[in-house]
Amino acid sequence: MLLYLQPDSDVPLYQQIRDQIVAGLATGQLSPGDPLPPIRQLAADFGVHFHTVNKAYDLLRQEGLIRLHRRTGAVVVCEPAPPEFRGQWRERARVLLAEAFVKGIPPEEILAECTALLNSFQPANAHSDLSGGAST
Amino acid sequence: MLLYLQPDSDVPLYQQIRDQIVAGLATGQLSPGDPLPPIRQLAADFGVHFHTVNKAYDLLRQEGLIRLHRRTGAVVVCEPAPPEFRGQWRERARVLLAEAFVKGIPPEEILAECTALLNSFQPANAHSDLSGGAST
DNA sequence: ATGATTGTTACATATCAAATATAACAAACA
DNA sequence: TGTTTGTTATATTTGATATGTAACAATCAT
């Protein structure tokens, strides 16, 4: 799993690290049980301070996506979503979808983008293909 | 169009203002040609500084969603998306969808959420209903 | 027990963003 | 002319970001 950072982005470095690990989880490049590199090693690979990586790992821990142990390191767990997750996620999705909508992108195309992205996720769910228009 | 702010949110105030105006545009509560309140008045309504509202308006102007004039004030315009919009939007959507996916929400439900949100947008597009599963 | 590896915590510091505050300026219209 | 509007400048306070140094604590192999 290859990671790269954009130091001049408006997205904080620890957030970029967290986001790419989440994306790696979705695409199946990372699976529950897999170990993550030690924070100091990952920091050295990126050329950032280990505190920055530590903050990213701490975020992922708070989200229930990884578990941290001394000596053992970080491992992927992917705990189920807490009750408040859906509502908060929906609000963020509302703004993101609204942005595309008001910029004139047709709702069918927006949905097609989402479908394509979801289909690019975990091969474990490859049996449930979300083509939508293929069967009609 | 009713706006409210959460001062203790991790989302900056100017971003909250911007997001709610974008959402208002999507739902049709705001339409091209509509005027927006003067920054000083909106700031007074919110109990924030006019610079905070000014930053939100400036963001919307950079995005091509409003146009600003002295004396006249701000009006909605909704310019079409620039070429780089799609790619940047897709990257943000990728992370957001990945978050829901790795938290165990089935892709069908994620798509259903997106569909419902898109259907809640502008009645001007009400003729193209994206139900997908209602007709079966 | 020893020692190395790992995450964890505590300080400190520099830089930048967010939000407020005050003031002045400039275009536009009645 | 004068008011309303956005615009710009400067300053300040607070918090977030990122780095740096140092030490601590659990864990596992030896």
Side-chain angles (χ1 to χ4, degrees):
Chain A
M1 166 161 183
L2 191 57
L3 303 184
Y4 58 95
L5 297 183
Q6 296 175 318
D8 293 343
S9 167
D10 57 335
V11 180
L13 293 176
Y14 74 90
Q15 185 80 42
Q16 291 185 45
I17 298 173
R18 176 265 180 194
D19 287 351
Q20 292 191 38
I21 290 178
V22 169
L25 283 168
T27 58
Q29 298 174 50
L30 284 174
S31 302
D34 286 356
L36 261 58
I39 50 181
R40 287 176 180 82
Q41 176 189 322
L42 199 54
D45 293 348
F46 284 150
V48 299
H49 200 269
F50 77 88
H51 273 159
T52 305
V53 179
N54 187 51
K55 191 168 184 177
Y57 277 24
D58 192 58
L59 251 184
L60 293 164
R61 182 192 56 77
Q62 288 176 34
E63 298 180 81
L65 294 178
I66 68 175
R67 204 163 287 172
L68 299 172
H69 304 278
R70 301 178 203 247
R71 181 75 185 186
T72 312
V75 292
V76 176
V77 288
C78 284
E79 288 178 4
E84 67 272 19
F85 180 84
R86 288 291 276 260
Q88 294 172 355
W89 187 89
R90 188 181 296 114
E91 274 313 297
R92 289 197 294 147
R94 204 170 92 94
V95 175
L96 186 73
L97 294 171
E99 285 182 37
F101 184 82
V102 301
K103 291 310 283 181
I105 302 180
E108 303 81 22
E109 286 189 35
I110 300 176
L111 262 189
E113 288 277 10
C114 295
T115 303
L117 286 166
L118 285 170
N119 275 328
S120 74
F121 291 164
Q122 193 132 18
N125 292 55
H127 55 84
S128 69
D129 192 279
L130 304 162
S131 48
S135 59
T136 57
Chain B
M1 166 161 184
L2 192 58
L3 304 184
Y4 57 94
L5 298 183
Q6 297 175 318
D8 293 343
S9 168
D10 56 335
V11 180
L13 293 176
Y14 74 90
Q15 185 80 42
Q16 292 184 45
I17 297 173
R18 176 266 181 194
D19 287 351
Q20 292 190 38
I21 290 179
V22 170
L25 283 169
T27 57
Q29 300 174 47
L30 283 175
S31 301
D34 287 354
L36 261 58
I39 50 181
R40 288 175 178 84
Q41 176 189 322
L42 199 55
D45 292 348
F46 284 151
V48 300
H49 200 269
F50 78 88
H51 272 159
T52 306
V53 178
N54 186 52
K55 191 166 184 179
Y57 277 23
D58 193 58
L59 251 184
L60 293 164
R61 181 192 58 77
Q62 288 178 33
E63 298 179 81
L65 295 178
I66 68 175
R67 204 163 286 172
L68 297 171
H69 304 278
R70 300 178 203 245
R71 179 78 182 185
T72 314
V75 291
V76 176
V77 288
C78 283
E79 288 177 4
E84 68 272 20
F85 180 85
R86 287 291 276 260
Q88 295 172 355
W89 187 88
R90 187 182 296 112
E91 273 315 295
R92 289 197 294 146
R94 205 171 91 94
V95 175
L96 187 71
L97 293 171
E99 287 180 36
F101 183 82
V102 301
K103 291 308 283 182
I105 302 182
E108 305 82 20
E109 287 189 33
I110 300 175
L111 262 190
E113 289 276 10
C114 295
T115 303
L117 287 167
L118 285 170
N119 275 329
S120 73
F121 291 164
Q122 195 132 16
N125 291 56
H127 56 85
S128 69
D129 193 279
L130 305 160
S131 50
S135 57
T136 57

